[in-house]
Structures are given as C-alpha cells and as structure tokens.
Amino acid sequence: MLSALCFRNAAPLIALFSGSVASAQELPRFSLPVACEVGRSCFIQNYVDADPSSSAKDYQCGSRSYDGHNGTDFRLPTMAAQRAGVDVLAAADGQVLRLRDGVEDISVREPGRAAAVKGTECGNAIIIEHPDGWQTQYCHMARGSLRVKAGDHVKAGQTIGKIGLSGLTEYAHLHFTVRHRGQVADPFAYSSPPGSCGEGQSLWQSSLRPSLAYKPRAILNSGFAAAAVPMAALEAGDVQQQQPDLASPALVAYVRGIGLKQGDVQSLILKDPSGQTLVDNRAKPLERDQAQTLLYAGARKPAAGWEQGLYQATYAVIHGGKIVLERSFDIHLQPAQ
C-alpha cells in the first residue's frame, strides 16, 4: 500500500529528552511548515497514528494514518509541482539542532531503493529546537535545498529548504513531526485522552485552523486527457501538460482521490456540450480503505468528430447512499493552437 512506504521513524536523527508534559500556558503555536495552500496546492495525506496497537487511526478516529506514523504528511499533487519548488518553512522560532543533506530524490518504488535508504529513512532533514523542550522535525527535503546549518537561529515562517523526494517515500511531501521532551505530539490533538476522537488541543496558530480542518477524503488531481491516464504519468505531472483538443482521438476525464473508505462508491460522468451523457462510470464499492484511487471516464472521438464547446465531468463519492465528496470540472474543446 502507498501509506506503508512513508516515513515511520528517524531514530538515528533524534535525541530523546525526558520531562513533564507542558501546561496549557506553555503550549507553542505553530505556523504552517510549507509554502502552499492546503487543500489546493498541497494536501494532508497522513496524520499521526493515534492508536497504540498494531492498528492505526488518526486523531478523529479515521483512516488517514498508518501504524507507527509519527507526523503529518503535507503532500504535493505532482512531481512537476515539486520540481517547480515549494519551500519548507520553520514552524516556530528556534535553533537548528542538527540536519542532513545529500540523500538523492528518488522514489522508493525504484528497484533496490528501500534498502539503499536504510538508516536515512527521513531523507534530507532538519531538526529545530524550541523553548521548553519542544522540537520540530522536517523530513524528505530536496537534496541541496537546505538553507540553514546547525546552530543557526531561525524565525517562524523562514525558508529552511524545499519539499523533496528523499528517504523512504514514493511521493513528494514534507513529513512534519512535533515532539515535546522526546515524546511525539500531534499538533492537531495534543494531550488527547487515549481512545478519544477529536479531542485534545490544537498547536496550530488559530488563523490556520479553518484551512487545516479535518477532511476524511480529498481530491488530489482532476482534469482531462487525450488518452488513458497511467498513475505514473499523473504523479509525474505529465498529463496536465497535454490538454485535449478537437483533433484528439479520445476525451478522458480523470480524478485521483485520497483517503477513500471501505464501502465508498465512486461515480464519474462525462457530458458533451449539449448536456448528453457520453460516459457514466460507476465503480464497485471499495473493499477496503484506500490511500489513493484513480478513476476515469473516457470516450473515443465520434466518426463525425468532436463538437466544439464545453464538456463537463462530475465526480462523486457515495457512502451509505449519501454524497460525501463531489467535484465538477470542464474543458472547452477547440481546434489545436
């Protein structure tokens, strides 16, 4: 599974501390550690695992985590976005405690890559120490992008590097971990009582809480292509560079979702400019929770050719007979430029 390949643990990088839990008066307030808009140009793929057993659940008792996951994953939608450059930011004032650079930006899906990153699963990384025993850790950064050195003092919002693909990961993201005196602290639910759902205290700045509101499911990519859409091409960002036109042999609408649940039913309908349905693709109910899914609906060019105008696609996820996620998107087919 996709989620099983993400970062779990960076013990070689971490110096543990002991001490008491911070009081409410001492709690830090973190700024966003990535220079992107959550829900639009980047997405939360995984949260901290709140289940101490071999199972996993996020702080809302949902499925957006995996066993042993100790941070929040801020994911970019494509590698094209990563190549364009997305800054990693210090989440609070502090001092750089240690860092690592020089790990290649290569997907762990490449043969032999998992073994090659053993001991450097966090990839290119920075640990920043904050007052009262707090630390933040930033993993999977781009090789050669780190802008600080050990001992540097940084301010909240300061650029410290860029999101990469280094270490034990198969997609471009920042793995962000918060610790207090050596213990992992979920910034969405600090000091949440064991077994609770949606409790605890947020460590995020209050202005960020609307954009960081929990979403059990999300749409990572959607759009149109002129042929079938392989997952690898979608992840690379190649699909968005080749928009269909009136000469295209096919018109394919696609959607990649994350966080879909067992029993979810996906539907993707493609309509022509007159409102007639060209394709109605209704998938079977999911047999298990999915870290990501790809659904598409396509039609071949008619013998008379494509009608010039607006083609619309509507994607929906239905659970228990109710729509729980929905998006409409369109494209205007016109002669090639």
Side-chain angles (χ1 to χ4, degrees):
M1 284 183 61
L2 172 85
S3 60
L5 294 173
C6 300
F7 173 78
R8 286 176 178 267
N9 175 326
L13 277 176
I14 303 302
L16 298 180
F17 294 81
S18 61
S20 60
V21 175
S23 68
Q25 290 75 21
E26 299 169 328
L27 293 181
R29 290 290 178 253
F30 295 113
S31 60
L32 197 65
V34 284
C36 53
E37 186 178 353
V38 177
R40 295 182 62 87
S41 57
C42 62
F43 301 83
I44 296 178
Q45 176 74 50
N46 293 300
Y47 295 89
V48 172
D49 177 17
D51 190 331
S53 74
S54 59
S55 298
K57 65 180 180 182
D58 58 45
Y59 75 102
Q60 291 282 3
C61 294
S63 62
R64 299 291 296 276
S65 190
Y66 61 86
D67 186 32
H69 191 247
N70 65 3
T72 304
D73 290 342
F74 293 92
R75 178 179 184 172
L76 299 183
T78 65
M79 283 302 299
Q82 187 275 329
R83 291 190 296 270
V86 178
D87 289 342
V88 175
L89 313 174
D93 296 354
Q95 184 175 19
V96 177
L97 184 63
R98 57 174 64 87
L99 54 80
R100 176 172 56 220
D101 201 350
V103 182
E104 291 184 281
D105 292 283
I106 301 177
S107 170
V108 75
R109 283 186 176 273
E110 294 295 322
R113 188 61 186 166
V117 299
K118 187 175 182 180
T120 59
E121 290 86 353
C122 186
N124 302 313
I126 294 174
I127 297 176
I128 298 176
E129 192 167 43
H130 310 284
D132 194 32
W134 290 91
Q135 289 183 354
T136 52
Q137 180 179 353
Y138 310 75
C139 295
H140 308 310
M141 297 169 69
R143 183 172 64 172
S145 73
L146 277 62
R147 298 189 184 180
V148 294
K149 61 183 183 299
D152 283 356
H153 290 272
V154 295
K155 292 290 186 181
Q158 179 179 331
T159 298
I160 59 175
K162 292 186 180 298
I163 291 178
L165 191 70
S166 61
L168 190 64
T169 181
E170 64 181 78
Y171 56 85
H173 74 285
L174 174 73
H175 175 98
F176 175 71
T177 298
V178 177
R179 290 181 174 84
H180 184 246
R181 303 193 186 281
Q183 300 300 310
V184 172
D186 187 344
F188 288 88
Y190 179 64
S191 291
S192 177
S196 65
C197 302
E199 297 187 30
Q201 297 173 281
S202 172
L203 300 180
W204 298 109
Q205 293 177 354
S206 58
S207 61
L208 293 175
R209 293 173 194 173
S211 64
L212 294 179
Y214 181 80
K215 295 178 178 62
R217 306 166 181 83
I219 294 171
L220 192 63
N221 311 95
S222 64
F224 295 90
V229 183
M231 184 70 83
L234 185 57
E235 180 64 29
D238 299 337
V239 178
Q240 293 90 329
Q241 308 304 317
Q242 303 170 0
Q243 289 296 290
D245 55 42
L246 290 176
S248 297
L251 180 62
V252 179
Y254 63 85
V255 177
R256 178 163 58 160
I258 57 176
L260 270 62
K261 317 300 179 191
Q262 181 181 12
D264 282 353
V265 176
Q266 299 177 87
S267 169
L268 184 55
I269 299 172
L270 177 61
K271 294 185 177 182
D272 67 16
S274 68
Q276 293 296 310
T277 297
L278 294 175
V279 187
D280 185 348
N281 184 8
R282 188 180 179 93
K284 295 180 180 179
L286 293 178
E287 296 181 356
R288 61 182 185 278
D289 295 345
Q290 295 284 336
Q292 67 176 1
T293 60
L294 175 59
L295 183 70
Y296 53 87
R300 296 182 182 276
K301 183 169 69 173
W306 295 112
E307 178 184 354
Q308 185 168 332
L310 194 70
Y311 290 74
Q312 186 174 62
T314 300
Y315 172 77
V317 177
I318 301 100
H319 190 93
K322 297 181 179 179
I323 294 177
V324 293
L325 184 65
E326 188 173 27
R327 174 178 291 181
S328 294
F329 49 103
D330 53 51
I331 186 172
H332 191 277
L333 283 191
Q334 53 190 358
Q337 300 297 315

